[in-house]
Amino acid sequence: MLSRRSLIAGSAAGLLGGLGAHAAPMLTDDGIYSEPWFLQSFLELADDVQGAANSGKRLAIMWELRGCPYCKETHIVNFAKPEIESYIKQHFEVLQLNILGSREVTDFDGEKMSEKRLAAKYGVRFTPTFQFFPDNIAGLATKKPTEREVTRMQGYLEPQAFLNMFRFVAERAYEKGTLRDFLKANS
């Protein structure tokens, strides 16, 4: 089935096809680094979760801010490691949002608001922050915003802990224990 999401993804893939295994992050017009493999979205979160699930992946939102040194470090150090980039691309769709941004986003409950208002609604106060969502939208619209996430990562993590955070979600380890326990067991 042809959808707006698949058209965007196909266009991005075509443009990036000749870039090789790892393309360097790009500095966007709003001063935030971005990876060429990040999700290009119509910013409708329910569609993004469903689209990721249809590809056997999970949706993660990465909140960033212009001039954030730890956001830059995440791109320049963590995403630059082939094993990290490969794992995340295999298991996740990453949607990048600007904590002070003005693009309109449609939340799971249908409410439309700016990125900045969405960040406030979810209590996102630090960058980088990663929000991880379930692999289906069933019941998300009726939950409180922070109860929609399966987990959250705030601040910069060193590369191995960063990768383990994504493994924690991909392996559904949050259903069995805490992130702290998982990181301890896998450090």
Side-chain angles (χ1 to χ4, degrees):
M1 179 171 148
L2 192 59
S3 67
R4 295 182 299 175
R5 189 175 198 280
S6 64
L7 284 172
I8 289 175
S11 297
L15 291 172
L16 299 172
L19 290 179
H22 176 75
M26 307 166 287
L27 191 58
T28 65
D29 291 340
D30 58 358
I32 296 175
Y33 285 90
S34 184
E35 301 298 323
W37 47 269
F38 276 1
L39 176 63
Q40 299 301 310
S41 168
F42 286 102
L43 303 179
E44 296 172 2
L45 298 184
D47 287 350
D48 292 339
V49 164
Q50 190 60 54
N54 291 345
S55 299
K57 298 180 181 185
R58 303 289 290 269
L59 177 68
I61 294 178
M62 180 180 186
W63 289 94
E64 299 193 59
L65 174 66
R66 178 187 198 128
C68 166
Y70 296 112
C71 299
K72 181 179 179 182
E73 190 85 357
T74 299
H75 288 280
I76 302 300
V77 176
N78 296 9
F79 288 140
K81 295 194 173 297
E83 66 276 14
I84 292 176
E85 177 185 3
S86 175
Y87 187 86
I88 294 172
K89 286 168 61 175
Q90 181 180 1
H91 297 281
F92 292 89
E93 295 280 1
V94 179
L95 175 62
Q96 182 180 46
L97 296 178
N98 181 343
I99 198 168
L100 298 178
S102 60
R103 295 182 300 167
E104 184 179 84
V105 182
T106 303
D107 197 1
F108 297 104
D109 56 14
E111 185 179 5
K112 295 179 185 217
M113 67 197 80
S114 68
E115 294 164 283
K116 182 177 180 177
R117 280 197 47 229
L118 184 71
K121 179 177 179 177
Y122 279 85
V124 176
R125 294 183 185 93
F126 308 102
T127 57
T129 292
F130 284 84
Q131 292 177 286
F132 296 92
F133 294 93
D135 55 4
N136 66 66
I137 60 170
L140 285 183
T142 59
K143 291 183 178 181
K144 293 179 184 176
T146 54
E147 293 174 0
R148 296 172 184 162
E149 304 169 15
V150 296
T151 195
R152 175 185 291 207
M153 177 181 70
Q154 297 181 133
Y156 178 76
L157 289 178
E158 294 293 326
Q160 189 58 52
F162 183 76
L163 175 59
N164 284 338
M165 178 72 209
F166 281 88
R167 288 184 49 232
F168 176 74
V169 176
E171 296 172 16
R172 298 176 177 271
Y174 55 85
E175 294 174 349
K176 301 174 201 109
T178 67
L179 172 62
R180 175 172 275 136
D181 294 337
F182 183 82
L183 292 176
K184 270 186 190 177
N186 291 284
S187 59

